[in-house]
Amino acid sequence: MSLDKVDYVTEEAPRQATIFDVARLAGVSHQTVSRVVNDLPNVRSSTRVRVEEAIKKLRYVPSPAARALVTRRSRTIGLIATGGPEFGPSSTVLYFNAAARDARWSVFTANMTDSDPGSIRGAVEAFLRQNVEGIAVISGHEGSVDVVAGMELTIPLVALEATPHAGLATVGADQYNGARNAVQHLIRLGHRGIAHLAGPADSVDARERERGWRDELGANDLSARVIGVGDWSPSSGHRFGEACDLTGLTAIFAANDQMSIGLIHALNERGLTVPGDMSIIGFDDIPEAAYVSPPLTTVRQDFETIGRDMLSTLLARIDGDRATELPQSLPELIERSSTGPASPALSSTSSIRG
């Protein structure tokens, strides 16, 4: 069998419009187009409209490098994101980038799984070589922000932090009062034995949630008991749920939803029902929380607002407004079926069915 020769014709991609193409179509000089693109003064309104129409028709995209030469502004931001793929920080990164695109700013991102000081400093130095105008830090690890702040940068710095940080603009959710609201919900349901499954010890968010849990119990003359310190994962929730002593408990507040889901699975394996024998409440309101069995009561953080607030705070500081710092948002209690009225507390682990 012979193969016939086939000639393939490839079409060249359409040429990208240049500033000179826009100038020709609008009937102006390329310097005038540059002034319009960079929003500089001394351009008649009728000329500006004509240039903008030409830009739209030709789908002209200005060169960031050329724009920087004219305005002495790079319109770029550096973003350091440390930690694993946890839902909260990764969602905040997503919405921060979306807000930057809406504002026509570019973002250089350095993702790293740990918070090694050398790696963080290297990322910041790389950002500075790119002439970024500001840096944002979204980290699940304590100390990452301190590394960047300690470099004494001359450009603005904004961080995602659960607590205020001296000399630094911070944005975030009120983890402390969010946790207190979770415990208040359980107390209203009649629970008195309320344990906590804590998050990682190096997480500021985890510490704030534990502090809120402790303080709300103390305000109601209830004792505090931590059943374990997890790593945010469902497997760590399951591990502690398999072995923890449940004597005297009727409810558990877990530091995040993923650990809550693993915890519920382990309790079911031990013959306990949720919320019949044990109420469980989480934190974050991940997308799966409404669809597990039973649907998870949790504390919802508005990660879109947090990400956009970080961007707006950083841009305000880049523009010289050092006073702008948005207040912490208060997470919202979402009541579902994993919490209910308190049952009699378990007398011992031997009372667990199965």
Side-chain angles (χ1 to χ4, degrees):
M1 179 182 294
S2 63
L3 296 176
D4 294 331
K5 182 180 178 181
V6 179
D7 291 327
Y8 293 95
V9 178
T10 58
E11 294 185 1
E12 292 185 2
R15 183 176 65 86
Q16 186 174 1
T18 69
I19 193 171
F20 300 101
D21 297 325
V22 175
R24 278 192 293 271
L25 183 58
V28 299
S29 68
H30 72 275
Q31 291 94 337
T32 298
V33 176
S34 178
R35 285 196 290 272
V36 172
V37 166
N38 294 292
D39 199 25
L40 298 177
N42 302 323
V43 180
R44 291 178 183 157
S45 58
S46 59
T47 301
R48 186 178 296 275
V49 169
R50 198 161 68 249
V51 171
E52 289 173 345
E53 289 176 348
I55 289 172
K56 184 176 180 180
K57 184 174 182 179
L58 295 175
R59 298 181 180 179
Y60 170 63
V61 179
S63 162
R67 176 179 284 174
L69 286 174
V70 174
T71 64
R72 301 187 184 277
R73 298 282 300 272
S74 68
R75 292 188 71 84
T76 59
I77 296 167
L79 172 61
I80 294 176
T82 73
E86 285 85 22
F87 178 75
S90 60
S91 296
T92 305
V93 168
L94 176 69
Y95 289 117
F96 179 91
N97 278 285
R101 285 194 300 273
D102 290 346
R104 297 184 179 180
W105 282 72
S106 298
V107 180
F108 294 118
T109 302
N111 289 301
M112 49 194 76
T113 56
D114 56 27
S115 53
D116 171 63
S119 298
I120 293 175
R121 292 191 192 96
V124 172
E125 291 167 359
F127 289 155
L128 296 178
R129 288 193 293 271
Q130 296 290 337
N131 295 318
V132 299
E133 296 190 49
I135 292 177
V137 181
I138 298 175
S139 175
H141 296 130
E142 182 182 26
S144 299
V145 175
D146 293 328
V147 172
V148 182
M151 296 179 73
E152 299 183 355
L153 303 174
T154 58
I155 58 175
L157 172 64
V158 173
L160 177 66
E161 282 279 287
T163 55
H165 197 291
L168 176 68
T170 58
V171 176
D174 189 342
Q175 311 290 329
Y176 172 79
N177 281 304
R180 294 197 70 156
N181 287 344
V183 179
Q184 287 170 12
H185 168 68
L186 295 172
I187 291 173
R188 286 194 298 269
L189 290 171
H191 294 277
R192 295 296 179 266
I194 305 171
H196 183 48
L197 176 55
D202 66 348
S203 167
V204 177
D205 286 357
R207 287 209 304 273
E208 284 298 288
R209 294 170 196 177
E210 180 175 344
R211 187 169 71 90
W213 163 76
R214 287 185 183 277
D215 285 357
E216 189 59 35
L217 291 181
N220 288 273
D221 296 321
L222 301 176
S223 59
R225 187 164 116 210
V226 175
I227 62 170
V229 178
D231 61 8
W232 298 130
S233 69
S235 60
S236 67
H238 185 269
R239 182 171 66 253
F240 287 110
E242 284 182 310
C244 65
D245 180 10
L246 301 172
T247 303
L249 301 180
T250 61
I252 300 173
F253 165 46
N256 77 336
D257 290 345
Q258 286 97 332
M259 292 196 298
S260 296
I261 291 171
L263 178 62
I264 290 172
H265 186 58
L267 295 180
N268 288 339
E269 290 177 335
R270 293 174 68 174
L272 290 170
T273 62
V274 175
D277 296 309
M278 189 71 60
S279 284
I280 304 294
I281 187 168
F283 207 105
D284 285 338
D285 195 27
I286 62 174
E288 298 84 356
Y291 303 101
V292 295
S293 181
L296 183 65
T297 297
T298 186
V299 180
R300 175 185 293 163
Q301 298 195 73
D302 188 345
F303 296 111
E304 180 173 2
T305 295
I306 294 170
R308 292 186 177 278
D309 283 354
M310 282 194 72
L311 189 278
S312 62
T313 301
L314 183 56
L315 294 188
R317 294 213 157 202
I318 288 172
D319 288 337
D321 184 358
R322 294 276 170 178
T324 297
E325 190 164 347
L326 297 173
Q328 289 185 322
S329 59
L330 181 62
E332 176 188 3
L333 178 69
I334 304 298
E335 297 183 41
R336 298 194 180 105
S337 304
S338 67
T339 54
S343 301
L346 294 175
S347 59
S348 67
T349 54
S350 64
S351 67
I352 298 174
R353 296 184 297 277

